[in-house]
Amino acid sequence: MPSLDGQDYVILNSVANVSKAIDVLHGYERIHCLLDNDEAGRKAYWELKKEFAGRIRDFSNNYNGHKDLNDYLCGKRQNQTVNPPPRTIVKPRKKGLGL
């Protein structure tokens, strides 16, 4: 079990912030990436790998089949669709006596 107190975390709200993270990450000997399982996440990882070859590891395969780590932790599958409950059609009542 890793010592969680001895770790730092860099959280990117968007892969557009990868270039900002590069400056911060230079001081670390090991970098573990938990990026999205999509094209943007893979591209961000390869950009980081060019800069930190040998010190970086991709962990997105640990939650394969999920869009990202959060969806994995919440139990949401990547292609899962939510079916709404069936709608009940209520016919309007006729007004008057209908003579």
Side-chain angles (χ1 to χ4, degrees), residues 19-93:
S19 61
K20 296 175 186 176
I22 288 175
D23 292 336
V24 174
L25 294 172
H26 273 289
Y28 294 92
E29 63 183 62
R30 286 185 297 179
I31 302 165
H32 297 166
C33 290
L34 295 106
L35 298 165
D36 289 359
N37 275 322
D38 60 9
E39 187 61 33
R42 285 186 288 279
K43 184 178 175 186
Y45 174 73
W46 287 109
E47 187 176 337
L48 290 166
K49 187 172 181 172
K50 283 190 289 187
E51 189 74 27
F52 302 107
R55 298 189 297 163
I56 191 164
R57 235 176 116 191
D58 181 9
F59 278 85
S60 63
N61 62 335
N62 290 340
Y63 44 93
N64 197 19
H66 297 83
K67 180 187 175 302
D68 55 28
L69 178 62
N70 186 59
D71 282 358
Y72 169 75
L73 295 173
C74 292
K76 296 179 185 174
R77 301 294 286 168
Q78 192 164 17
N79 293 324
Q80 183 179 20
T81 58
V82 177
N83 294 327
R87 294 172 46 180
T88 304
I89 299 173
V90 178
K91 294 182 180 180
R93 292 185 186 188

